Amino acid sequence: AKTAVAKALADLRQITLKMTHISTTVAAKLEQLLLLTGPSLAEELARVAKSLALIAGQVRCSHGQEMADLVLNVAGAMERAALAALPRILCLHGRNQSASLFSVRMKNLQKKIKHVASLHFIDAPHVCEGCESATPTSEARCWWQSGSQRGVPHPKWAQQWEASRLVLQLELHSAAARGEPFTGILGFSNGAGAAAMIMSCSERGVPPLRFAIFCAGYLPAALVGSPK
């Protein structure tokens, strides 16, 4: 995110400097855009991108398409920087779902918060046993299998959770290594249980998360009675 923002601002400074030799009026407008004063960096970058698009239209009329395209390129860089600056939330689907299915079901929420946070979805490593839904087997996944009765963990729960923990830990570490760390985690149902488990692993090499959102979830048996 920092790299994308730095590049976008550098591009804006460069086009501002170039414009000073062509139009001091346009250059002054561009220079004002360099003053990011809002409380939200992502919102400010998005605002600058829109302003640049408007300025590009004015530049096209007065100084030609080539200069307008240069301004539009900076506007595009600002848009990408705005997206990169948004808090990233890792989303964990429920049982008998998959990352792609969960993403489709969260489409309305993604539209509503597109300027607030970006949602990223990941598949659980286990295919559900005895799936009776119309969902294709490849998309009926879970973070661990159900036990024989409610409240009783699966006999191999520990091994299943360990596999899920490794998947989540790798995703969190990979994102951090790319310079795109996750800010929080959101889990639905079985995914909410997995989110609670990964939040409890902060002392086991899991990158820190600032918050968690649990939807229609439950407390995994492994955490029952654990210190708050």
Side-chain angles (χ1 to χ4, degrees):
K2 291 181 180 179
T3 302
V5 172
K7 182 182 184 305
L9 291 175
D11 289 346
L12 179 53
R13 291 189 188 95
Q14 185 175 5
I15 193 69
T16 300
L17 181 61
K18 188 169 186 175
M19 193 60 72
T20 56
H21 304 294
I22 301 172
S23 170
T24 55
T25 302
V26 176
K29 291 180 180 180
L30 294 174
E31 195 166 343
Q32 282 295 314
L33 295 179
L34 286 166
L35 304 175
L36 302 178
T37 57
S40 168
L41 177 59
E43 289 182 3
E44 278 294 282
L45 292 170
R47 179 188 63 80
V48 170
K50 289 181 180 179
S51 297
L52 285 169
L54 292 174
I55 292 174
Q58 299 168 6
V59 169
R60 182 180 296 109
C61 297
S62 58
H63 299 92
Q65 186 64 46
E66 185 177 351
M67 285 303 303
D69 286 343
L70 290 176
V71 176
L72 283 175
N73 287 339
V74 180
M78 283 292 174
E79 287 181 357
R80 292 188 292 274
L83 289 174
L86 288 174
R88 290 163 47 85
I89 302 176
L90 182 62
C91 299
L92 313 186
H93 61 78
R95 190 183 311 279
N96 285 356
Q97 293 184 9
S98 66
S100 59
L101 284 174
F102 195 32
S103 177
V104 169
R105 293 176 180 180
M106 296 281 278
K107 188 175 295 184
N108 286 337
L109 177 61
Q110 292 183 76
K111 288 181 180 179
K112 289 179 180 179
I113 67 169
K114 63 181 180 180
H115 297 306
V116 178
S118 59
L119 305 184
H120 303 266
F121 301 82
I122 182 175
D123 277 322
H126 308 290
V127 174
C128 291
E129 296 175 349
C131 175
E132 297 179 357
S133 81
T135 303
T137 303
S138 62
E139 293 193 318
R141 311 189 73 83
C142 61
W143 300 98
W144 53 75
Q145 306 291 349
S146 297
S148 57
Q149 57 184 1
R150 189 179 182 86
V152 178
H154 191 280
K156 295 184 178 180
W157 181 89
Q159 298 96 309
Q160 292 165 6
W161 163 243
E162 181 62 14
S164 292
R165 183 187 69 80
L166 291 174
V167 166
L168 293 173
Q169 187 168 330
L170 177 61
E171 183 71 15
L172 292 169
H173 275 297
S174 297
R178 294 193 304 270
E180 302 174 341
F182 286 104
T183 308
I185 192 168
L186 179 153
F188 171 74
S189 187
N190 180 229
M197 288 298 299
I198 203 67
M199 291 295 287
S200 73
C201 294
S202 58
E203 296 180 357
R204 296 181 58 187
V206 175
L209 295 164
R210 293 176 59 185
F211 64 86
I213 302 172
F214 307 107
C215 306
Y218 58 89
L219 188 65
L223 295 181
V224 174
S226 62
K228 293 183 179 180

